[in-house]
Amino acid sequence: MSHQDLQLLSHDCGSCPIRHRAVCARCDADELQQLEQIKYYRSYQAGQTLIWSGDRMDFVASVVTGIATLTQTMEDGRRQMVGLLLPSDFVGRPGRQSAAYDVTAATDLVMCCFRKKPFEELMSKTPHVAQRLLEMTLDELDAAREWMLLLGRKTAREKIASLLSIIARRDASLKLRATKGVVTFDLPLTREEMADYLGLTLETVSRQMSALKRDGVIGLEGKRHVKVADFDRLLEETGDDSDGGFLN
Amino acid sequence: MSHQDLQLLSHDCGSCPIRHRAVCARCDADELQQLEQIKYYRSYQAGQTLIWSGDRMDFVASVVTGIATLTQTMEDGRRQMVGLLLPSDFVGRPGRQSAAYDVTAATDLVMCCFRKKPFEELMSKTPHVAQRLLEMTLDELDAAREWMLLLGRKTAREKIASLLSIIARRDASLKLRATKGVVTFDLPLTREEMADYLGLTLETVSRQMSALKRDGVIGLEGKRHVKVADFDRLLEETGDDSDGGFLN
DNA sequence: CTGTCGCATTGACGCAGATCAACTGGATTG
DNA sequence: CAATCCAGTTGATCTGCGTCAATGCGACAG
């Protein structure tokens, strides 16, 4: 997962704007041409597991539309989400044989895949792709470390508020600027998936959602549609430093 | 943090073997020559904070000897360790202006630093360095995700056992092979640092250490010296899949 | 309209780990 | 050889979240 401005997504440079931004924002025409030749699209249904941990991987890919999750499972069934992939995010690891995590479609999903072997060859010939990938991986590492703070030290309420603000930010960042802190969005995750993200049980997630609603921090219409009347108020509940420079 | 075989450390290729492995295991003579010109060493005392979150960073670096930690702190003082840097690990992020975390010396520490500007130039000219860095960053991301499972889903006892096995692996992996599962090592962290690593309090760490000792899983001589008579037994306590292919 | 299926909510209760506090033991200092 | 300090240990108590179980509610089928 990366903290990148969604506005960039509108920068269309071909039939698959997202893919280009993801792997070769700085690529020249020749490099784009080569990528064009090794790509193909795949689509999946919500709930489907595309890749099992340990699977041999012969491609890398980038999310075009929809949301996917990375999860790890212990022998006794305890599960922890370790990645949330939104459009433009990258999946797969050049130089690795097999997948390290289960990848599951949380919503209907379209991926743009690249055959791994030629992709790796392209990478070793041009510094652009490797550099872009490094940048994206560093973004993911930052997100993972923020996530570790959440898992290790935040209360259930703070965890929920943090997750809501993360989703609001990525899902509705444009709207957010335009509306001075009023945002509405649909949760792309079930309560159970939220629990796996946050290291909680689904019951605790449900209770804290109700509590935030009761306290007027969020509004709920149906189970999934969330309305945040005052985004700053939500941020106060996350336990993070005030607004982290997002709105300023 | 990376899961790399410590044996490689003994591969000496110059005055600073670790540095070479860290950033340019595949570099040619010319590239090495350039690295040589932009490097300098710095040493720090145990307990010293080398870098504060938000500091402007004009170098990247690699740990030569000693141990450093990356930590995040919330306004009210809650702290979470998000990185543990052992010899050969890399610090700093090409392309970023400022540090995202506090970096603190857990033991006396020697770092090999590279001035950032010329390092970035070298990176953009040669694919080797960027690729090597990508590989290391992917290793760190894997470690971070393993760590997330630990923080989100493991019990206190499993957390302690996991940390001990991680340290034993990196600190004593050579000995481990030679001695069929019997290892002794010194903890490089205080109980409080262990707690910050594991998302626990120092009291809980202490209690669980005592419990593992009482149950014969580990032996303790003094506060810091740990003896593991049966490494497989320790691994069973971690909650992970049996041995994760380490000894096989 | 009624049954049922999958998510979500809510309540009652228990426990792992946090909190608060007293104590130990080794190292350092005057 | 006290006096102090600091890391660690251990005990008593509290509490936030997990566990187990019942109930609600919209969607969809017959």
Side-chain angles (χ1 to χ4, degrees):
Chain A
M1 200 173 55
S2 56
H3 292 307
Q4 293 154 341
D5 196 321
L6 289 183
Q7 254 174 323
L8 286 173
L9 286 180
S10 59
H11 173 64
D12 185 276
C13 49
S15 59
C16 173
I18 289 151
R19 179 204 67 218
H20 292 125
R21 179 171 158 280
V23 301
C24 62
R26 287 190 296 258
C27 287
D28 60 30
D30 184 44
E31 288 158 4
L32 285 178
Q33 173 65 25
Q34 289 181 59
L35 275 172
E36 214 50 47
Q37 286 169 11
I38 60 173
K39 85 170 192 204
Y40 56 98
Y41 292 92
R42 299 208 56 172
S43 45
Y44 304 89
Q45 292 174 357
Q48 209 178 343
T49 294
L50 349 178
I51 300 162
W52 295 95
S53 165
D55 278 2
R56 188 179 187 74
M57 291 282 288
D58 53 357
F59 63 94
V60 296
S62 138
V63 177
V64 179
T65 59
I67 292 182
T69 63
L70 300 186
T71 56
Q72 264 184 315
T73 309
M74 294 170 66
E75 291 172 9
D76 61 6
R78 280 176 281 174
R79 246 198 299 161
Q80 176 64 50
M81 197 184 296
V82 296
L84 183 62
L85 302 170
L86 303 191
S88 90
D89 282 338
F90 188 80
V91 200
R93 303 117 62 72
R96 308 299 171 90
Q97 284 254 335
S98 56
Y101 316 101
D102 299 338
V103 183
T104 308
T107 65
D108 288 346
L109 186 68
V110 177
M111 307 272 283
C112 176
C113 308
F114 303 93
R115 289 187 293 119
K116 203 173 90 177
K117 201 79 175 290
F119 186 85
E120 284 169 353
E121 275 160 23
L122 181 60
M123 249 183 67
S124 67
K125 271 180 288 183
T126 122
H128 288 129
V129 178
Q131 263 176 267
R132 179 78 191 105
L133 228 41
L134 175 59
E135 230 168 81
M136 296 181 66
T137 308
L138 284 171
D139 280 341
E140 275 196 271
L141 190 54
D142 278 351
R145 284 172 166 162
E146 200 79 33
W147 200 337
M148 285 169 59
L149 176 66
L150 177 149
L151 290 170
R153 296 303 188 190
K154 289 190 178 179
T155 64
R157 174 182 262 246
E158 288 169 340
K159 286 178 176 182
I160 298 284
S162 300
L163 176 55
L164 292 177
S165 87
I166 288 169
I167 292 174
R169 232 172 271 210
R170 294 221 27 175
D171 191 84
S173 67
L174 299 178
K175 271 179 277 176
L176 195 50
R177 284 166 194 280
T179 55
K180 296 180 189 157
V182 182
V183 219
T184 64
F185 56 93
D186 283 306
L187 283 172
L189 304 176
T190 65
R191 297 289 184 265
E192 188 172 17
E193 287 166 332
M194 292 174 68
D196 285 342
Y197 185 110
L198 300 170
L200 297 170
T201 59
L202 67 93
E203 292 95 332
T204 299
V205 170
S206 184
R207 269 186 257 273
Q208 295 297 335
M209 291 286 286
S210 301
L212 287 174
K213 180 182 177 186
R214 174 169 38 70
D215 299 346
V217 182
I218 60 171
L220 278 175
E221 288 159 23
K223 283 117 183 4
R224 297 296 195 88
H225 194 73
V226 179
K227 172 166 181 163
V228 180
D230 180 356
F231 196 74
D232 287 337
R233 173 73 201 289
L234 179 62
L235 285 180
E236 277 168 32
E237 298 281 352
T238 63
D240 295 330
D241 302 316
S242 47
D243 86 25
F246 172 61
L247 283 175
N248 305 3
Chain B
M1 198 172 56
S2 55
H3 293 306
Q4 292 152 341
D5 196 319
L6 290 182
Q7 253 174 324
L8 286 174
L9 288 180
S10 60
H11 172 62
D12 185 276
C13 51
S15 58
C16 173
I18 289 152
R19 179 202 67 219
H20 292 123
R21 178 169 159 281
V23 300
C24 62
R26 288 190 295 258
C27 287
D28 59 30
D30 183 46
E31 289 157 3
L32 285 178
Q33 173 66 25
Q34 289 180 57
L35 276 172
E36 210 53 46
Q37 286 169 9
I38 60 173
K39 84 169 192 206
Y40 56 97
Y41 292 93
R42 299 207 55 172
S43 46
Y44 303 89
Q45 291 175 357
Q48 211 178 342
T49 294
L50 346 179
I51 299 164
W52 295 95
S53 165
D55 279 3
R56 187 179 188 74
M57 291 281 290
D58 54 357
F59 63 94
V60 297
S62 138
V63 177
V64 180
T65 59
I67 291 181
T69 64
L70 300 186
T71 56
Q72 264 185 316
T73 310
M74 295 170 67
E75 290 173 5
D76 60 6
R78 280 176 281 175
R79 247 199 295 162
Q80 177 63 51
M81 197 184 294
V82 296
L84 184 62
L85 303 169
L86 303 192
S88 90
D89 282 338
F90 189 79
V91 200
R93 303 119 62 72
R96 308 301 172 89
Q97 284 255 333
S98 55
Y101 316 101
D102 299 338
V103 183
T104 308
T107 63
D108 288 346
L109 186 68
V110 177
M111 307 274 281
C112 176
C113 308
F114 303 94
R115 289 186 293 118
K116 203 173 90 177
K117 201 73 176 292
F119 187 86
E120 284 170 352
E121 277 160 23
L122 181 60
M123 251 184 66
S124 67
K125 271 180 290 186
T126 124
H128 288 129
V129 177
Q131 263 177 267
R132 179 77 191 108
L133 229 40
L134 175 59
E135 227 168 82
M136 295 180 67
T137 308
L138 284 170
D139 280 341
E140 275 195 89
L141 191 53
D142 277 351
R145 285 173 164 160
E146 198 79 33
W147 201 336
M148 284 170 58
L149 176 66
L150 176 148
L151 289 171
R153 297 302 187 190
K154 289 190 178 179
T155 65
R157 171 181 265 244
E158 288 169 341
K159 287 179 175 183
I160 298 284
S162 300
L163 176 54
L164 292 178
S165 87
I166 288 169
I167 293 174
R169 234 172 270 211
R170 295 220 27 173
D171 192 83
S173 67
L174 299 178
K175 270 179 279 178
L176 196 49
R177 283 165 194 282
T179 55
K180 296 179 191 158
V182 181
V183 219
T184 63
F185 57 93
D186 282 306
L187 282 172
L189 304 176
T190 64
R191 297 290 184 265
E192 187 173 17
E193 287 166 332
M194 293 173 67
D196 286 342
Y197 186 110
L198 300 170
L200 298 170
T201 59
L202 67 91
E203 291 95 330
T204 299
V205 170
S206 183
R207 270 186 255 274
Q208 295 296 335
M209 290 285 287
S210 300
L212 287 174
K213 180 183 177 184
R214 174 171 35 73
D215 299 345
V217 182
I218 60 171
L220 278 174
E221 288 158 24
K223 282 109 179 26
R224 298 291 197 91
H225 194 73
V226 178
K227 173 166 181 164
V228 179
D230 179 355
F231 196 74
D232 287 338
R233 173 74 200 287
L234 179 63
L235 285 180
E236 277 168 31
E237 298 281 351
T238 64
D240 296 330
D241 303 315
S242 47
D243 85 25
F246 172 61
L247 281 175
N248 304 6

